[in-house]
Amino acid sequence: MRHHGLRASWIATILATVIAVGTPLVGGAGADPSANTPDRSIDLVRAERPSFTDLDPSLDPKVAGSAADASTDRSDERTTPRRDRAQAQRARAATTHLLVRVPRSMVVRARPDTDAAVVGSMPSGSKYYGVPITAWVEETANHGRWGRVEIPYVWPRHEGWIPLRGLARTTTRVQVHIDLSEHRLTVSKFGHTLFGLPAATGAPVSPTPRGDYFVTDRIPFSSGGSLGTFAFGISGIQPNLPPGWNGGNQLAIHGTNDPSSIGRSASAGCLRVSERGLDRLLPLLKLGTPVIVEA
C-alpha cells in the first residue's frame, strides 16, 4: 500500500492530466519494476484525505469498539493449523518470486487457457496513484506461458491466470509477512529472516484482512501527517471500513504520526510502522514484492 492527506480534487485534476498527456502520476514511482531506490526526493503528492486506509491518532470510541458491530466477511478464514501455516510460509519465502509488468488491463481467467471462464481483470495502474502495476506471479503453468495472480483491489479476494507472453519480467527474493496476532511485520530474503518490526494493525471494528498481496505503490509524503513519510500501497482493500469513514479503502504499509499506536490494533486496516522501520523497508520493498497477511 507519505504525509498530509491527498486533496481529492487535486487527484482528479492530476489524473485527468495524466490521461491526457500520458505522464506518470507520481514521478519515478513506477518507472522501473526492479528499482529499489530509497530516494525520498520524488515529487510529493498531496490531498485532503489519505487514499490508504488509516485512522486519526485519537480513535473515536465508537470506531474502536467491539468487532461485534462490524459486518465482517469470514470468507477468507484460515483453518489450517498455525504450525502447518508457519511451515508453508517458510517454504514459500525460500523461493525466488517472479514479478511481471502489466502494460495494459488484462483478462484474468479461471484456468490457464484462453477458453477458460473470465474471473476478473488485472488493472495496468494502481487504484489511486496510477503507478504501473508490477504483479507477483504465484505460480506458472503450461511451460511458463501462464501465471497465477491475485486480482488487485477486489473483495472477496480472488485469483486467476493471465498469459505471460510479452510481459517484462523481473524477480525478487524478498517477502513481507504480517502476523496480525503478534502485531509484527517480518521481512525475509530467500527464506532467511532479515529483520522484524512491530506494527499497528486494524482496529477490532476494522480488522486488517488476511490474504496474499503485493506492493503496488511506493509513495512519499511530507512529514507530520498520519501516513508518516512514506507508504507502500498493496493490492488489497478493506471491506470493513469504520463507521463514518470517508477516505480510501486501499491497504498499505506506512508510517504514522502516532508512534504509540504501533504494536496495537488501532488502524482502519493499514499496517503502521516507525520511521526507522520505513528506512529499513525502502531499499527492499520494490513494486510487486509479496506481502502475506496472516492471523
Side-chain angles (χ1 to χ4, degrees):
M1 219 145 265
R2 318 168 81 133
H3 301 333
H4 301 309
L6 314 174
R7 186 160 299 159
S9 61
W10 290 27
I11 291 181
T13 301
I14 295 173
L15 284 174
T17 303
V18 172
I19 293 171
V21 302
T23 310
L25 177 57
V26 181
D32 181 355
S34 63
N36 287 333
T37 176
D39 184 9
R40 300 189 186 211
S41 62
I42 303 171
D43 292 342
L44 299 181
V45 180
R46 306 170 185 270
E48 189 173 284
R49 288 186 294 273
S51 293
F52 302 122
T53 60
D54 197 12
L55 294 175
D56 291 333
S58 55
L59 287 174
D60 185 311
K62 293 181 292 185
V63 172
S66 169
D69 295 330
S71 58
T72 55
D73 186 329
R74 300 300 183 188
S75 62
D76 192 41
E77 197 76 42
R78 303 283 182 120
T79 58
T80 307
R82 187 177 181 84
R83 181 177 297 177
D84 292 346
R85 284 193 277 116
Q87 291 174 345
Q89 176 66 29
R90 286 193 295 271
R92 181 163 45 182
T95 65
T96 297
H97 304 289
L98 173 63
L99 313 177
V100 296
R101 170 66 61 81
V102 181
R104 61 192 178 281
S105 179
M106 300 184 69
V107 169
V108 181
R109 298 188 181 275
R111 293 178 291 103
D113 190 310
T114 54
D115 294 326
V118 174
V119 295
S121 177
M122 172 65 71
S124 61
S126 63
K127 185 175 178 66
Y128 293 109
Y129 298 93
V131 176
I133 290 288
T134 295
W136 170 32
V137 176
E138 300 186 45
E139 179 186 359
T140 60
N142 295 348
H143 304 288
R145 293 194 295 270
W146 289 81
R148 179 170 60 84
V149 295
E150 291 283 331
I151 301 175
Y153 317 129
V154 297
W155 189 267
R157 291 176 43 247
H158 209 65
E159 64 180 23
W161 296 83
I162 59 173
L164 302 181
R165 182 177 179 179
L167 302 186
R169 305 186 185 199
T170 185
T171 59
T172 182
R173 294 183 174 184
V174 174
Q175 178 178 293
V176 178
H177 178 247
I178 310 294
D179 188 324
L180 298 177
S181 62
E182 298 292 334
H183 296 95
R184 191 160 186 83
L185 179 156
T186 301
V187 177
S188 59
K189 187 172 184 179
F190 206 62
H192 301 287
T193 298
L194 297 181
F195 57 85
L197 301 170
T201 61
V205 76
S206 52
T208 303
R210 290 164 287 181
D212 293 352
Y213 306 109
F214 55 88
V215 175
T216 59
D217 304 89
R218 288 173 50 96
I219 308 296
F221 296 93
S222 53
S223 60
S226 62
L227 301 181
T229 54
F230 208 88
F232 300 92
I234 63 177
S235 57
I237 58 173
Q238 170 60 280
N240 299 302
L241 291 169
W245 176 255
N246 58 1
N249 66 350
Q250 184 182 350
L251 299 173
I253 301 167
H254 59 72
T256 180
N257 58 0
D258 180 25
S260 66
S261 69
I262 294 175
R264 299 191 292 112
S265 299
S267 78
C270 283
L271 295 311
R272 304 176 187 170
V273 298
S274 67
E275 287 296 313
R276 182 178 179 183
L278 289 176
D279 287 338
R280 302 183 74 180
L281 295 174
L282 272 167
L284 295 170
L285 272 58
K286 65 181 181 180
L287 299 177
T289 300
V291 178
I292 314 301
V293 180
E294 296 183 320

